């Protein structure tokens, strides 16, 4: 009888095995990415037939293991669009390496280290104008053929993509310095074209509303987020307006999509609750150019107040024929009279961060511009006030037609018990702005104060947990924020964090203003996510606590350059490699 042998080796924890599998998946994705790059044509794209074959093969393989539509559709789209860091050229020369290597011949860009000076802030500037309101005025200028000028613009990716799409329709829009000029041209039509709307659903809905009012056809394409978006509610609603939206990719609810419009609109249409509010805004902005009056019933939509607050001031400033009765908006066709320089509010998504700087560093921020009377913006204003920030609006003055928004704090924030705030205050914030209260609570905890973070409506708690871990905090079961161990904090500092959205990047930038003096800063792995929203942001942030204010256009005194004299001689310049006699 022999003794049975027993394996006495310690078994690896299952989480380590799963982590190893995840790393293998990433290596396979990188290999797949490099193989796709080799399949690209001379224009740098994958042929449609090749992509169709890959998609069909993927869907067939998925059908044997899962019935999840996200795995067969969204996961494939992500694999097609995912980007990887380039391979450091110091490790491998261009053209070397196998399929598992990173992109050859490029330098690997390091992450941004966010470490502003921990001193009271002194910021005074002209706030960038609201991004969506800017594009709404450009749409009205293109549709009416009238001239106008908007500045200072954010000049970010959504605005640039909007300008390109409108010019493709026949508009005369020019980007000049920090503004956009619309030349007087013929009103744009609705040609049968392929229009690229970038990564902004707002651009898509603006053009969609423009096409609905006339017999037309068009195809819309977009970037990754719009390819993964769910426009099924829009597809179901459009037949009520005599139009049809057909998704090009099978089993997809996003772009690319084809639009077919009969141009025959009803007298009235009710907006269902699941249809995006941006579609209603696009329709209302285009309604003055329809052949007949249209009444849009918003009574059943949960964002009725936001739609009215964003659209009605623009239409009234353009002298449109509109009337509102208990959530029913009637817009009649007629000529518009656009102001030469429309008055727009400032962009609240950026302004909230700039106004919160004194709350974290102490000091003062002054933004020239009007505060938007939108529900979400008002909720953010009340949140900053509830946490102790002295906020006020100054009356318009010379060079400040919209007035100035001022924020002052005598001492940094050390108490942020968000659980004690009125329940409706946090619920009134837009879902995309959840990082703001999270960052403010984190700043108080990093300062050594008391901070609590309740469950936030609509928040992705995995993103919240990831952010808190990056800045060295953890949330207890009771909702309190506590610092993690110093060793773990040092380990986190060596890793770069990829922000899921621009507002999360703003949150990390805000938390860096409250870091411990022993901390060298927080590292952001994808700083380009902010430059896509506000190109000048990092220049402004790196100049804290007192960035130099840009002088208003036309007020600076320029010194004329001295006139140059051209002297003609017979001397000939001799290259250094030749002798003088040669």
């Amino acid at each position: 009888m022999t003794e049975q042998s027993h394996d006495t080796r310690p078994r690896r924890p299952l989480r380590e095995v799963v982590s190893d599998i995840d790393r293998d998946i990433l290596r396979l994705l990188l290999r797949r990415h490099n193989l796709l790059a080799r399949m690209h044509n001379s224009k740098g794209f994958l042929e449609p037939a090749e992509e169709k074959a890959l998609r069909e093969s993927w869907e067939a393989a998925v059908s044997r293991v899962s019935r999840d539509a996200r795995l067969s559709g969204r996961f494939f789209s992500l694999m097609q669009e995912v980007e990887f860091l380039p391979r450091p050229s110091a490790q491998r020369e261009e053209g070397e390496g196998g399929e598992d290597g990173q992109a050859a011949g490029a330098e690997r860009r390091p992450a941004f280290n966010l470490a502003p000076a921990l001193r009271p802030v002194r910021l005074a500037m002209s706030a960038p104008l609201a991004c969506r309101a800017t594009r709404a005025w450009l749409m009205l200028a293109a549709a009416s053929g009238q001239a106008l000028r908007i500045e200072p613009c954010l000049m970010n990716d959504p605005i640039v993509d909007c300008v390109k799409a409108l010019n493709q329709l026949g508009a005369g829009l020019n980007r000049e310095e920090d503004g956009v000029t619309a030349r007087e041209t013929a009103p744009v039509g609705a040609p049968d074209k392929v229009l690229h709307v970038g990564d902004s659903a707002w651009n898509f809905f603006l053009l969609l509303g423009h096409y609905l009012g006339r017999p037309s056809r068009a195809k819309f394409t977009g970037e990754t987020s719009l390819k993964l978006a769910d426009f099924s509610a829009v597809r179901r609603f459009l037949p009520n307006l005599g139009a049809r939206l057909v998704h090009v990719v099978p089993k997809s609810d996003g772009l690319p999509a084809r639009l077919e419009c009969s141009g025959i609109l009803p007298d009235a249409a009710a907006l269902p609750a699941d249809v995006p509010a941006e579609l209603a805004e696009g329709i209302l902005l285009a309604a003055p150019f329809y052949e007949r009056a249209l009444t849009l019933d918003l009574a059943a939509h949960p964002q009725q107040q936001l739609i009215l607050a964003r659209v009605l001031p623009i239409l009234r400033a353009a002298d449109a024929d509109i009337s509102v009765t208990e959530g029913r908006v009637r817009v009649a066709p007629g000529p518009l009279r656009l102001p030469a320089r429309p008055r727009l509010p400032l962009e609240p998504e950026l302004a909230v961060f700039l106004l919160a700087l004194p709350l974290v560093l102490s000091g003062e921020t002054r933004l020239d511009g009007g505060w938007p009377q939108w529900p979400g913006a008002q909720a953010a204003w009340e949140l900053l006030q509830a946490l102790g920030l002295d906020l006020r609006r100054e009356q318009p003055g010379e060079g400040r037609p919209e007035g100035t928004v001022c924020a002052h704090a005598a001492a940094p924030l050390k108490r942020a018990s968000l659980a004690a705030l009125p329940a409706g205050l946090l619920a009134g914030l837009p879902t995309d702005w959840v990082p703001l209260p999270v960052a403010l609570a984190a700043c108080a905890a990093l300062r050594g104060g008391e901070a609590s973070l309740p469950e936030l409506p609509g928040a992705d708690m995995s993103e919240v947990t990831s952010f808190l871990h990056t800045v060295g905090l953890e949330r207890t079961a009771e909702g309190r924020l506590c610092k993690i161990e110093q060793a773990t904090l040092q380990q986190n500092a060596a890793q770069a964090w990829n922000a899921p959205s621009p507002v999360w990047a703003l949150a990390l930038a805000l938390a860096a203003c409250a870091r411990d003096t022993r901390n060298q800063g927080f590292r952001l792995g994808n700083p380009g996510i902010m430059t896509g929203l506000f190109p000048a942001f990092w220049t402004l942030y790196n100049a804290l606590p007192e960035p130099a204010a840009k002088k208003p256009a036309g007020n600076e005194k320029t010194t004329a350059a001295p006139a140059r004299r051209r002297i003609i001689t017979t001397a000939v310049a001799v290259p250094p490699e030749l002798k003088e006699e040669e």
Side-chain angles (χ1 to χ4, degrees):
M1 183 175 181
T2 60
E3 295 183 1
Q4 295 182 353
S5 61
H6 296 280
D7 190 355
T8 59
R9 291 176 299 177
R11 299 183 61 183
R12 294 179 63 197
L14 292 180
R15 65 173 180 272
E16 294 184 6
V17 179
V18 174
S19 296
D20 289 343
I21 294 175
D22 289 343
R23 283 188 286 270
D24 291 339
I25 292 174
L26 286 175
R27 280 191 288 268
L28 288 173
L29 286 175
L30 178 56
R31 182 183 179 186
R32 183 183 188 276
H33 169 79
N34 290 331
L35 286 172
L36 286 178
R38 293 168 58 181
M39 294 170 61
H40 285 172
N41 56 26
S42 58
K43 296 182 179 180
F45 298 101
L46 191 64
E47 293 292 346
E50 296 278 12
E51 184 168 4
K52 181 181 179 181
L54 290 175
R55 176 180 289 276
E56 291 175 349
S57 173
W58 172 261
E59 291 176 351
V62 169
S63 65
R64 292 192 289 267
V65 296
S66 174
R67 295 184 178 90
D68 194 336
R70 294 171 299 178
L71 184 60
S72 62
R74 293 196 173 192
F75 194 83
F76 180 83
S77 297
L78 283 174
M79 289 195 301
Q80 294 295 102
E81 302 292 336
V82 70
E83 296 179 356
F84 289 92
L85 291 173
R87 184 188 64 222
S89 59
Q91 294 180 6
R92 298 182 182 180
E93 296 297 331
E94 184 174 358
E96 294 182 359
E99 296 167 353
D100 295 333
Q102 290 172 296
E107 293 291 342
R108 179 173 177 175
R109 187 176 186 179
F112 272 21
N113 188 54
L114 309 185
L118 304 181
R119 300 197 302 270
V121 64
R122 293 289 183 269
L123 176 61
M125 60 179 289
S126 294
L129 300 180
C131 183
R132 291 188 177 184
T134 297
R135 288 175 280 167
W137 279 109
L138 295 178
M139 184 74 239
L140 293 180
S144 64
Q146 300 181 41
L148 57 77
R149 169 73 178 175
I150 300 177
E151 62 179 344
C153 292
L154 282 173
M155 211 59 71
N156 54 18
D157 291 347
I159 290 180
V160 171
D161 291 332
C162 181
V163 169
K164 290 180 179 178
L166 292 177
N167 282 341
Q168 193 176 357
L169 294 181
L173 305 180
N174 292 330
R175 291 176 284 147
E176 301 170 352
E177 297 180 355
D178 59 346
V180 179
T181 300
R183 303 190 313 273
E184 185 174 352
T185 59
V188 299
D192 185 0
K193 289 188 174 183
V194 178
L195 301 173
H196 185 77
V197 297
D199 219 19
S200 171
W202 172 253
N203 290 345
F204 171 53
F205 291 127
L206 273 182
L207 297 176
L208 188 60
H210 173 72
Y211 270 81
L212 287 175
R214 62 199 81 193
S216 56
R217 294 191 306 172
K219 180 181 177 181
F220 298 95
T221 63
E223 300 294 340
T224 305
S225 65
L226 297 189
K227 292 179 181 179
L228 301 177
D230 185 0
F231 294 130
S232 57
V234 177
R235 183 184 66 242
R236 293 190 296 267
F237 172 67
L238 287 184
N240 298 327
L241 300 177
R244 183 177 68 160
L245 189 69
V246 180
H247 302 287
V248 175
V249 179
K251 300 181 182 179
S252 168
D253 292 319
L255 299 186
R258 291 189 181 94
L259 177 69
E260 299 175 356
C261 304
S262 66
I264 302 175
L265 297 174
D267 294 332
L271 190 72
D274 59 344
V275 173
E278 290 86 350
L279 176 60
E281 296 169 9
I283 293 174
L284 292 175
L285 289 170
F289 306 100
Y290 294 162
E291 292 185 356
R292 55 190 298 180
L294 175 67
T295 300
L296 195 61
D297 189 354
L298 307 174
H301 202 278
Q303 293 183 298
Q304 171 190 342
Q305 293 183 352
L306 177 63
I307 296 171
L308 298 178
R310 286 204 293 219
V311 173
L312 293 186
I314 296 176
L315 290 176
R316 285 169 176 160
D319 204 16
D321 184 1
I322 58 175
S323 59
V324 183
T325 306
E326 296 181 353
R328 294 170 57 88
V329 184
R330 181 183 183 276
V331 184
L336 301 184
R337 287 189 289 271
L338 306 187
R341 288 181 176 267
R343 293 186 177 182
L344 279 68
L346 50 80
E347 176 55 55
E349 192 170 73
L350 295 172
V352 165
F353 166 81
L354 298 175
L355 294 175
L357 285 174
L359 197 57
V360 182
L361 292 170
S362 75
E364 184 180 49
T365 292
R366 298 175 61 87
L367 303 178
D368 293 338
W371 188 257
Q373 302 301 311
W374 303 339
Q378 290 300 107
W381 181 282
E382 295 173 7
L383 172 64
L384 294 178
Q385 284 186 323
L387 293 178
L389 186 65
D390 179 15
L391 272 177
R392 64 185 186 278
R393 300 184 182 93
E394 292 186 354
Q395 296 299 321
E398 183 178 357
R400 298 180 292 107
E402 297 294 336
T404 302
V405 180
C406 303
H408 178 267
L413 177 68
K414 287 191 176 181
R415 181 181 177 86
S417 299
L418 300 185
L421 297 177
L425 187 58
L426 294 177
L429 285 174
T431 305
D432 296 340
W433 292 11
V434 164
L436 174 65
V438 175
L440 293 175
C443 289
L446 291 173
R447 292 281 187 186
E450 177 185 349
S452 63
L453 189 63
E455 294 289 340
L456 300 172
D460 186 341
M461 294 310 296
S462 63
E463 294 179 351
V464 174
T465 302
S466 175
F467 171 80
L468 294 176
H469 183 73
T470 300
V471 300
L473 298 172
E474 59 183 0
R475 182 176 178 271
T476 65
E478 296 79 18
R480 292 187 300 106
L481 298 185
C482 304
K483 293 184 178 181
I484 60 179
E485 299 178 358
Q486 186 66 25
T488 307
L489 181 61
Q490 292 177 354
Q491 182 181 359
N492 294 348
Q495 301 175 354
W497 186 65
N498 291 329
S501 68
V503 186
W504 276 116
L506 289 173
L508 188 66
L510 200 62
C513 298
R515 71 190 189 281
D516 191 280
T517 53
R518 296 171 295 176
N519 193 329
Q520 297 300 317
F522 301 132
R523 301 183 66 197
L524 181 64
N526 55 341
I529 199 171
M530 267 310 304
T531 53
L533 174 66
F534 186 18
F537 175 76
W538 294 120
T539 302
L540 172 70
Y541 184 78
N542 292 333
L544 289 174
E546 194 169 353
K550 183 177 180 180
K551 297 181 179 179
N555 292 346
E556 62 272 11
K557 295 181 180 180
T558 57
T559 303
R564 293 185 176 182
R565 291 194 309 163
R566 185 179 180 186
I567 302 175
I568 302 177
T569 68
T570 58
V572 178
V574 179
E577 65 273 10
L578 296 179
K579 296 181 180 180
E580 190 169 339
E581 58 271 16
E582 296 177 340

